[in-house]
Amino acid sequence: MILLDGRQTSAKIKQEIAEVVSKMKQQNNRPPHLAAVLVGSDGASMTYVGAKVKACELVGFKSTLIKLPQSTTEEILLEQIEALNSNAEIDGFIVQLPLPKHIDENKILMAIDPNKDVDGFHPVNVGRLTLDLPTFISATPFGIMELLERYAIPTSGKHVVVIGRSHIVGRPMSILMSQKRKAGNATVTIAHSRTKDLKSLTQQADIVIAALGIPEFLTSDMVKDNAVIIDVGITRVPDDAKKKGYRIVGDVDFKSVSKKASHITPVPGGVGPMTIAMLLKNTLMAREKF
Ligand code: GUN
């Protein structure tokens, strides 16, 4: 069994990006600049945004963190987005999700200039993805594609079962892996909560991508020998033995599934660290305007 090491791979990608940025600076060009908008003080969101800002520093990007109170109105947030859209010094920005309930998430995402939408959530960018046009691919599916590519996992003609149809992970993942591209050309089944007899599908899969958000959902009886397992889950499970009071658990029962898998992503340290590297890659693309 080979571990698909997201920490090591993301470190390598960040190093590659840092080298490009260093050359930019040598040529007196301004480095890429990422802004992040955080509304409220959700613990996980603050951790993620903090990690994104830190990663910017590491590769030599400029970053701006805009923290707004939980009570921020939709109107104020839209004004903030407009300001970022028209600020020529900002190459790309993200609005960290989830947003407070009183704000319409779709309305906010649609207000972001698609050319600055480094999360790849805007309908224009999702549309471009479905048409095989150059675009910002959202960080999690982009990170998984990069892991498959860098570990030279064969995907052409393989059967991939994606569990979960979310807009951020499952849906784009199913599109990417079916495309004519590196780590693509696969036959893709997208499974979800209404799927009948999921086990019979996952048992046929060469690659399983578990992105449903249920801790340790995928068990060893559900996968065939030598399958490639990608675990997108990151649920915080209460654990008094941990200093933080919780531990991070994936959607895969790692202990049993890893005994059968040819390759598997650990949680933590698999897909998670890749997402930040891919956000940086998108920001670099935004700076270079593709
Ligand atoms: N919340 C969880 N993941 C993400 C992400 O990739 N981007 C944004 N903006 N919010 C998130």
Side-chain angles (χ1 to χ4, degrees):
M1 183 272 293
I2 295 171
L3 267 190
L4 299 171
D5 188 335
R7 284 203 183 108
Q8 205 178 67
T9 311
S10 73
K12 174 94 183 19
I13 295 168
K14 284 185 214 159
Q15 192 190 333
E16 290 164 8
I17 294 171
E19 280 164 23
V20 177
V21 174
S22 163
K23 283 202 187 100
M24 269 182 179
K25 289 180 179 171
Q26 275 166 26
Q27 290 161 358
N28 288 325
N29 287 319
R30 150 180 97 64
H33 186 171
L34 173 73
V37 182
L38 176 64
V39 185
S41 49
D42 172 72
S45 290
M46 289 205 299
T47 306
Y48 295 146
V49 172
K52 289 170 187 179
V53 169
K54 211 169 130 197
C56 283
E57 273 170 35
L58 186 82
V59 298
F61 285 9
K62 207 173 159 197
S63 67
T64 299
L65 173 57
I66 299 158
K67 277 187 179 168
L68 300 172
Q70 179 79 13
S71 59
T72 302
T73 61
E74 195 173 272
E75 197 185 354
I76 296 285
L77 184 55
L78 286 169
E79 278 172 22
Q80 183 59 251
I81 289 170
E82 215 27 72
L84 290 167
N85 282 343
S86 54
N87 183 343
E89 296 288 307
I90 306 266
D91 300 297
F93 66 96
I94 63 160
V95 178
Q96 188 66 23
L97 305 177
L99 286 168
K101 294 263 179 303
H102 63 273
I103 298 178
D104 181 343
E105 211 160 89
N106 273 330
K107 200 164 164 188
I108 298 302
L109 295 180
M110 283 196 223
I112 298 173
D113 176 348
N115 294 310
K116 292 192 175 189
D117 169 40
V118 285
D119 258 333
F121 292 166
H122 191 283
V124 165
N125 288 322
V126 178
R128 292 181 66 89
L129 175 72
T130 66
L131 296 172
D132 304 332
L133 295 169
T135 186
F136 298 115
I137 302 168
S138 54
T140 306
F142 197 8
I144 295 170
M145 295 304 282
E146 196 78 17
L147 266 182
L148 293 170
E149 210 179 306
R150 289 187 185 235
Y151 276 86
I153 308 277
T155 58
S156 181
K158 301 292 182 188
H159 183 200
V160 179
V161 173
V162 181
I163 315 173
R165 57 182 159 184
S166 73
H167 295 163
I168 296 183
V169 186
R171 187 73 49 75
M173 207 59 235
S174 67
I175 296 166
L176 284 161
M177 293 211 68
S178 67
Q179 283 175 333
K180 264 188 207 167
R181 55 168 291 147
K182 283 184 189 162
N185 292 305
T187 304
V188 182
T189 300
I190 181 153
H192 44 76
S193 53
R194 303 286 177 98
T195 297
K196 292 203 174 94
D197 198 7
L198 175 63
K199 187 171 161 179
S200 74
L201 294 170
T202 54
Q203 279 174 340
Q204 293 171 46
D206 301 303
I207 302 171
V208 180
I209 300 175
L212 69 163
I214 301 179
E216 296 175 340
F217 176 84
L218 191 80
T219 46
S220 63
D221 56 314
M222 296 172 78
V223 301
K224 70 175 184 185
D225 282 331
N226 295 317
V228 175
I229 310 294
I230 307 290
D231 188 350
V232 187
I234 36 160
T235 307
R236 289 181 176 194
V237 173
D239 186 342
D240 292 339
K242 300 276 175 189
K243 219 157 95 190
K244 287 181 177 167
Y246 65 85
R247 67 195 153 92
I248 302 289
V249 179
D251 289 351
V252 175
D253 176 26
F254 184 87
K255 208 169 158 210
S256 68
V257 175
S258 60
K259 291 192 181 114
K260 267 181 143 179
S262 74
H263 298 75
I264 186 166
T265 59
V267 175
V271 174
M274 292 298 292
T275 61
I276 292 187
M278 303 325 281
L279 174 67
L280 298 176
K281 211 162 170 163
N282 278 342
T283 307
L284 180 61
M285 245 168 66
R287 174 73 181 96
E288 292 170 333
K289 300 283 178 280
F290 293 22

